[in-house]
Amino acid sequence: MMARNIFILVMVLLWTLPAYAQEEVNVRAGVHPSYTRIVFDWPNVPQYQVQKEGDALTVAFQSPARMDLADILKRDLPNISDAAILSSDANSITVSITIPPGSRFRDFSTDGRVILDIYNPDGEQNLAAIKTDTQPVEPEKTEPAPEVQEQPAPQIDVPSAELPVAEEKQTEEPQQTVDSEILALPEIDAHSILLSATKSFGMSVFQRENWLWLVLDDPTVNIPPQLDGPNKDKFEEFQKYEVTGGIAYRIRLPENFYVYAKGGGLTWDIVVTPYQSQSRNPIGLEREFDDSDLIRGASLVWPSDQTRKVLEFKDPSIGDTIQVVTTDFSDVYSGEAREFVELSKLNSAVGLALIPKVDDIEISRLSDRVMITRPGGLALTRPKDFRALELNQQVDAVIPNPYLEEAQNLPPMTRIYNFAAWEMGGLQALDENQTLLMAGIPNKNQNGQVTDLITLAKLNIANRKSQEALGFLRVAEDMFPDIEKSPEYLALRGAASTMAGRHDDALTDLFREELEPFEEVNYWKAYALAHVEDWQQAFQVMPKRSDVLKEYPDQIRIPATLAMTEVLLRGGEPEMADALLNEMGELLEDQQNPENAAWRYLQGEMERQKGNVGDAIDIWTELISDKDDLYRVKSSLALTRLEQEQERLDTDGVIDRLEALRYAWRGDQLETLINYRLAMAYVDKGDFLKGLTLMRNAATFTPGTKISEEITQKLTQIFRDIFANDVIANISPLDAISLYDEFKELTPPGPEGDIVTLKLAERLASADLLGRATELLQTQVTRRLSGEEKVKTAIRLAGIQLLDDKPNGTMRTLDLAEAELERITNISSALRSEYDTEVSLLRARALSDLGKTGAALTLLSGLSGDKNVMSLKADLAWKDGRWGDAADFIQDLIYNEDIALNRPINEYQAELILSRAIALNL
């Protein structure tokens, strides 16, 4: 009957708080010879920014967290005088760290950690007596040193300062040590660790962090190792561990000590020395590939036929598994540490030691080798030449144009690179030149060795061997740490890191203050910025001239110029970009050149920006059939978007094409972009659940990048628009609640969040999903809201409970509304009266549903006789069979209509008259 209309009550806002979880972030510190390290252990590294103002470093994380700075505050750290949390809220946390005047710092993130290094103002300190309370984690990654031969080599100038004793370099991976006192470098000769028995036994000897491990493959050999040397009392005791099939010992070593082995079988002599040997010949790991599997299908092979056993045990400090291969012979060893995707190889002086990163690593001893693999094979990089970095993202955005026309008379540019001289005959002469340089290194002092290593780095950079160049630079810095203060060294490392794809490392070097006077470095800044998707800053810093690039060797000029061309195209500057593309066309006449596809792809973008849509489509269509995987995918993506803009491809066609591209390229920002475009196509089609799911996944592919940040913002915006605007009315109730449940963490705070929750509840109620609507509103009433918002929401909730035939729940909710109304003091009497009336109407209906119609009518008798009250009275009396009362109440409604005989009556008035007649008759 008409009475149900009474319960479509006033729409109200709900006050919701965002559901966010504060992560526990461990903060710890470590002391190193030239710097102090602070590590923030995040489960997932958020966006963050480090700024220096005076003597304070401010680290602002764009994520909520709980941090305890006790480990920093309780210790007397050399470069940290104070630390405090400046602010913490639902979206961020900011930490302030006070450092000495003049201190430099660096920051980077890796493996869920944000690392901050504060360098000593006066260089290296003596750390003999400094305690460190850091925690055990993964070992540091190292690069193998280059092999050398005894031949003379050319010389170049290096700083003449006396070189210190070789010191282990801290790599970009954070190093952590077991709780202990760091041993000072003892000024002593080598020490020996002796092991002997009456029967032959095999061993594996390796280093992990500052621990030396000796693993014996015969558990019956019960004579412990004996340490001998002039300062043996400075070493700790051996720790013994039981191993299935063997026995293990470990001892803590000072930093920067090397370990070698002699003997074997019955008697072993493990030498611990501060001096590095140049005559060792390790047996390296080799790679084997199954050509039928282009992604996995690989195995590692240790080519030794002199192995005994494979043993496995847990590291007591870290808790992960170590697998070792033992041998009878001291000259059978795998050498320096190496990192692979699924395992780590430790620095081994005898045998082989591995740390699996997955559970199904298999080690098999064969007659002539040791095979390391897993079901389906390992994921290893195929051996091939490293090519310069290709462009990462489709050219489809234009940024504001600060570009000015290039001057006719260009001023001189301050230079720091001389690639033409460093090329030294090119790739044809590279091997010969390297052999010449490396052969003479053992016969030189440290200054000469560093000089040749820098020359080797320049030689490799100029010939586009960036990874090799970084290796030589790393070894040079290990030998002479102060070389990092040299602008030329920073420029070399920045260029090599750029070409090697280590763009974050490159930017750290290239933006150092020491390189500001060198304008040429701005090319490399732009090069690196382009590959981290910071196109606007790349455009701002890039010199708007190409004369210097023309002097570079082709193997450097081509990738650098292509990167600059994309920067210009993204900056909306097609004229200079067109000139550069024409230059590249002359250099890339050979269609087999690896940069040819990149050049043609950018030509397509050039034509698009000129308005030559047909030419752009032709170029990209041709590239779709090209054998270059990267530009085949990028061209298909660009072509899809262009045809969509030209209305040559509908939404279903876009989805079909992008679904085919979705698995064609993996692992970088191009994959992110493909999934983002596909997600937007599903959103345009109205499939919001699939679209937002794809968008959320896309944001996780390349965390910390600008494109991931933009996708996250778009994801949040679409979610809010769906629920805050009228879009939700076009979504089925089941899809709406599924979308909310899946993405409720995106619910905005404040009044906007109230609208989201309210509209969802109303959408569910309109579809008779009253239970879910009740759950949403009940959570707000009982846990979130207070004051007038709680009263309004409780009244709406009571109405939905009545519709759901829950009169007892209605009564309890109305009790909450009345109790909250009593606590409100700053409310007008008119508004309070309005709320009281609404509560009474709902309570009366609930009493009637509970069979207490008399009580309900008594409650209503105290209210003013407006239309709503009279209608409810009539409805309750009718429902309970009180026909006389019903007739009287309907009569009041008829009088209220002011019906006259000389005027036609409407449908509602006719219904009232008929209802009263029926009541009188009954």
Side-chain angles (χ1 to χ4, degrees):
M1 202 174 166
M2 60 183 175
R4 282 184 77 88
N5 294 332
I6 299 173
F7 303 104
I8 307 301
L9 302 177
V10 178
M11 299 294 99
V12 295
L13 297 176
L14 304 176
W15 182 270
T16 75
L17 294 175
Y20 69 92
Q22 287 188 326
E23 298 174 321
E24 290 284 354
V25 176
N26 182 35
V27 185
R28 49 196 170 77
V31 180
H32 297 269
S34 59
Y35 59 89
T36 301
R37 168 164 290 178
I38 297 177
V39 180
F40 299 87
D41 282 316
W42 286 86
N44 295 290
V45 174
Q47 291 286 329
Y48 74 95
Q49 185 176 20
V50 182
Q51 292 184 334
K52 182 179 179 183
E53 296 183 4
D55 298 336
L57 289 180
T58 302
V59 189
F61 298 100
Q62 301 304 312
S63 179
R66 291 190 294 273
M67 291 185 182
D68 185 359
L69 303 180
D71 184 58
I72 298 176
L73 297 173
K74 72 183 180 182
R75 298 171 54 192
D76 185 15
L77 298 172
N79 296 324
I80 309 296
S81 57
D82 193 15
I85 296 177
L86 291 183
S87 64
S88 178
D89 56 33
N91 300 310
S92 64
I93 184 168
T94 302
V95 180
S96 175
I97 301 168
T98 305
I99 65 176
S103 289
R104 291 188 299 108
F105 74 93
R106 69 171 178 176
D107 66 276
F108 56 94
S109 63
T110 178
D111 295 335
R113 290 165 287 186
V114 174
I115 298 163
L116 186 63
D117 292 339
I118 299 94
Y119 289 87
N120 306 334
D122 301 323
E124 186 172 324
Q125 305 180 34
N126 179 8
L127 302 184
I130 297 179
K131 296 276 187 177
T132 61
D133 298 317
T134 54
Q135 299 175 1
V137 296
E138 298 174 0
E140 174 176 62
K141 298 179 182 177
T142 62
E143 294 285 343
E147 297 181 0
V148 295
Q149 300 178 10
E150 296 185 359
Q151 292 183 20
Q155 301 284 326
I156 59 173
D157 293 333
V158 294
S160 59
E162 183 178 352
L163 291 169
V165 176
E167 171 185 314
E168 184 178 351
K169 177 183 179 293
Q170 185 71 23
T171 68
E172 296 301 319
E173 290 291 329
Q175 182 181 14
Q176 299 170 312
T177 57
V178 180
D179 296 352
S180 69
E181 178 178 352
I182 293 181
L183 298 173
L185 288 177
E187 298 179 359
I188 56 176
D189 292 329
H191 284 61
S192 291
I193 300 173
L194 303 175
L195 299 97
S196 62
T198 57
K199 60 178 179 177
S200 178
F201 61 94
M203 289 187 65
S204 175
V205 179
F206 61 90
Q207 291 172 265
R208 188 177 194 190
E209 301 294 341
N210 59 337
W211 290 101
L212 172 64
W213 283 87
L214 314 175
V215 182
L216 288 62
D217 61 10
D218 189 340
T220 65
V221 177
N222 53 15
I223 304 298
Q226 303 296 317
L227 178 66
D228 188 29
N231 295 89
K232 63 182 181 180
D233 57 332
K234 291 188 177 181
F235 290 79
E236 298 178 3
E237 296 292 331
F238 281 99
Q239 299 177 9
K240 179 180 178 182
Y241 300 95
E242 298 297 330
V243 175
T244 302
I247 192 167
Y249 299 90
R250 72 172 185 172
I251 187 171
R252 199 186 311 274
L253 293 183
E255 292 184 1
N256 304 305
F257 264 59
Y258 302 94
V259 179
Y260 309 106
K262 298 187 291 186
L266 294 172
T267 303
W268 292 84
D269 183 3
I270 311 301
V271 179
V272 180
T273 173
Y275 307 108
Q276 187 172 11
S277 170
Q278 301 291 345
S279 60
R280 303 282 286 167
N281 296 301
I283 301 173
L285 292 175
E286 299 176 356
R287 305 179 185 207
E288 290 187 356
F289 297 94
D290 179 358
D291 292 336
S292 65
D293 190 337
L294 298 180
I295 298 177
R296 306 188 73 84
S299 299
L300 287 171
V301 173
W302 195 42
S304 173
D305 58 357
Q306 298 174 329
T307 60
R308 285 173 52 104
K309 286 185 179 182
V310 177
L311 303 179
E312 180 178 302
F313 59 95
K314 297 283 188 182
D315 188 318
S317 298
I318 300 176
D320 54 5
T321 298
I322 301 176
Q323 294 178 328
V324 300
V325 180
T326 63
T327 178
D328 277 326
F329 303 95
S330 59
D331 59 351
V332 179
Y333 71 103
S334 62
E336 295 195 16
R338 292 191 63 186
E339 286 292 330
F340 300 93
V341 174
E342 291 118 323
L343 57 92
S344 301
K345 185 183 82 68
L346 299 176
N347 186 1
S348 302
V350 176
L352 174 67
L354 306 172
I355 299 176
K357 299 178 183 177
V358 294
D359 295 333
D360 54 355
I361 293 293
E362 299 173 354
I363 302 179
S364 305
R365 289 179 57 249
L366 306 179
S367 60
D368 60 342
R369 56 185 173 167
V370 174
M371 179 74 70
I372 305 159
T373 187
R374 64 183 300 200
L378 299 173
L380 300 177
T381 303
R382 261 66 177 169
K384 59 183 179 180
D385 293 336
F386 287 97
R387 64 183 291 196
L389 245 107
E390 299 171 325
L391 306 174
N392 279 342
Q393 189 182 9
Q394 176 189 13
V395 182
D396 60 2
V398 176
I399 58 175
N401 175 21
Y403 174 72
L404 299 176
E405 286 291 329
E406 185 174 310
Q408 294 295 322
N409 299 316
L410 297 173
M413 176 179 283
T414 51
R415 304 286 299 275
I416 196 168
Y417 300 107
N418 191 4
F419 295 115
W422 299 343
E423 196 177 9
M424 294 183 183
L427 288 173
Q428 293 180 346
L430 179 61
D431 289 342
E432 182 180 352
N433 289 332
Q434 288 195 133
T435 300
L436 238 163
L437 285 168
M438 292 192 296
I441 288 179
N443 301 321
K444 298 181 180 180
N445 60 22
Q446 286 184 321
N447 280 328
Q449 291 174 352
V450 171
T451 298
D452 284 356
L453 288 168
I454 297 297
T455 302
L456 283 164
K458 290 179 177 179
L459 175 64
N460 279 275
I461 290 173
N463 286 282
R464 202 170 168 181
K465 298 289 185 180
S466 50
Q467 300 285 3
E468 292 85 345
L470 287 172
F472 287 123
L473 291 173
R474 187 178 298 113
V475 175
E477 188 181 349
D478 283 344
M479 298 180 67
F480 185 27
D482 283 347
I483 201 171
E484 194 180 18
K485 300 176 183 177
S486 164
E488 185 181 24
Y489 177 85
L490 294 172
L492 288 172
R493 191 170 65 183
S497 295
T498 300
M499 289 190 291
R502 300 177 58 174
H503 301 111
D504 290 336
D505 295 341
L507 292 171
T508 299
D509 283 336
L510 296 171
F511 275 91
R512 286 275 288 267
E513 184 179 352
E514 296 92 327
L515 293 181
E516 288 183 2
F518 302 97
E519 298 171 79
E520 185 182 11
V521 172
N522 289 331
Y523 285 116
W524 294 90
K525 290 179 181 177
Y527 192 169
L529 286 165
H531 286 81
V532 296
E533 303 297 319
D534 194 345
W535 299 104
Q536 185 165 3
Q537 187 177 186
F539 190 86
Q540 292 169 351
V541 303
M542 190 186 83
K544 304 307 183 291
R545 53 191 283 187
S546 61
D547 56 310
V548 172
L549 290 175
K550 294 176 183 178
E551 300 178 17
Y552 288 1
D554 287 351
Q555 62 268 19
I556 298 179
R557 178 188 175 189
I558 291 173
T561 302
L562 289 172
M564 305 304 150
T565 303
E566 183 166 6
V567 171
L568 289 167
L569 287 172
R570 286 182 175 271
E573 263 312 323
E575 291 186 8
M576 184 177 175
D578 198 15
L580 292 178
L581 282 175
N582 290 334
E583 293 176 11
M584 289 299 98
E586 298 174 3
L587 295 173
L588 295 170
E589 292 179 358
D590 177 9
Q591 295 298 308
Q592 302 303 315
N593 191 296
E595 270 80 27
N596 187 273
W599 171 63
R600 287 189 289 155
Y601 170 77
L602 291 175
Q603 275 189 316
E605 175 59 23
M606 173 66 70
E607 297 301 332
R608 186 192 71 82
Q609 290 197 16
K610 288 180 178 179
N612 301 327
V613 173
D615 292 339
I617 290 175
D618 290 343
I619 292 172
W620 286 335
T621 300
E622 181 184 353
L623 276 174
I624 289 176
S625 302
D626 195 86
K627 58 186 176 182
D628 187 294
D629 292 337
L630 173 60
Y631 286 96
R632 184 169 64 249
V633 172
K634 293 184 72 170
S635 297
S636 182
L637 183 62
L639 181 62
T640 299
R641 185 169 189 188
L642 180 57
E643 290 184 334
Q644 183 184 22
E645 291 173 350
Q646 297 295 316
E647 298 183 352
R648 301 186 183 190
L649 200 64
D650 60 16
T651 302
D652 288 333
V654 171
I655 291 174
D656 290 341
R657 191 176 290 178
L658 294 181
E659 282 286 6
L661 284 180
R662 189 174 168 191
Y663 301 105
W665 188 265
R666 306 297 295 272
D668 61 13
Q669 296 179 52
L670 179 57
E671 180 188 14
T672 302
L673 184 60
I674 292 169
N675 279 267
Y676 171 65
R677 299 286 185 223
L678 180 59
M680 289 302 300
Y682 277 112
V683 169
D684 292 341
K685 189 179 180 180
D687 192 344
F688 295 105
L689 185 59
K690 189 165 187 176
L692 294 189
T693 300
L694 276 171
M695 198 173 296
R696 181 172 61 187
N697 293 339
T700 65
F701 292 155
T702 51
T705 61
K706 187 175 181 180
I707 187 173
S708 290
E709 180 181 345
E710 292 174 352
I711 290 174
T712 301
Q713 292 173 354
K714 186 68 174 178
L715 174 66
T716 304
Q717 176 191 334
I718 293 173
F719 177 84
R720 295 180 180 185
D721 288 346
I722 289 172
F723 287 96
N725 299 328
D726 294 331
V727 180
I728 191 175
N730 300 320
I731 303 175
S732 72
L734 290 178
D735 284 346
I737 192 61
S738 297
L739 198 63
Y740 179 82
D741 286 343
E742 185 69 21
F743 298 96
K744 59 186 175 184
E745 71 275 5
L746 300 178
T747 304
E752 191 178 0
D754 298 343
I755 294 174
V756 167
T757 307
L758 176 62
K759 290 208 171 186
L760 177 61
E762 290 299 332
R763 183 72 180 95
L764 297 175
S766 66
D768 285 334
L769 295 175
L770 304 176
R772 289 306 305 269
T774 298
E775 290 176 12
L776 285 174
L777 296 181
Q778 201 158 35
T779 299
Q780 304 303 313
V781 169
T782 58
R783 299 181 183 178
R784 302 288 191 188
L785 303 178
S786 62
E788 189 178 346
E789 295 298 325
K790 182 173 181 177
V791 173
K792 291 189 292 185
T793 305
I795 290 172
R796 178 58 186 139
L797 172 59
I800 292 176
Q801 288 172 317
L802 274 178
L803 294 175
D804 198 24
D805 295 326
K806 299 288 191 301
N808 288 318
T810 300
M811 298 291 284
R812 289 192 295 269
T813 301
L814 293 174
D815 289 341
L816 291 175
E818 288 183 327
E820 190 67 22
L821 194 58
E822 289 298 321
R823 284 192 285 269
I824 301 175
T825 57
N826 56 342
I827 186 173
S828 67
S829 57
L831 187 56
R832 182 182 294 275
S833 176
E834 181 181 337
Y835 287 142
D836 286 337
T837 299
E838 291 177 351
V839 169
S840 296
L841 288 172
L842 291 170
R843 192 180 293 280
R845 169 59 72 182
L847 286 170
S848 175
D849 289 349
L850 291 169
K852 301 178 180 179
T853 303
L857 292 174
T858 301
L859 176 62
L860 293 175
S861 64
L863 300 180
S864 60
D866 66 11
K867 184 177 179 179
N868 287 338
V869 174
M870 289 188 291
S871 294
L872 182 56
K873 287 180 180 178
D875 189 61
L876 295 182
W878 187 288
K879 179 180 178 182
D880 199 45
R882 300 185 179 202
W883 306 113
D885 292 337
D888 292 341
F889 295 145
I890 295 174
Q891 181 65 36
D892 292 338
L893 287 170
I894 293 173
Y895 288 150
N896 193 59
E897 290 295 313
D898 191 24
I899 298 173
L901 294 177
N902 59 351
R903 291 196 303 269
I905 63 174
N906 57 37
E907 184 177 348
Y908 171 69
Q909 292 169 344
E911 183 181 356
L912 287 177
I913 294 171
L914 179 60
S915 296
R916 184 168 189 272
I918 293 173
L920 290 171
N921 184 61
L922 291 173

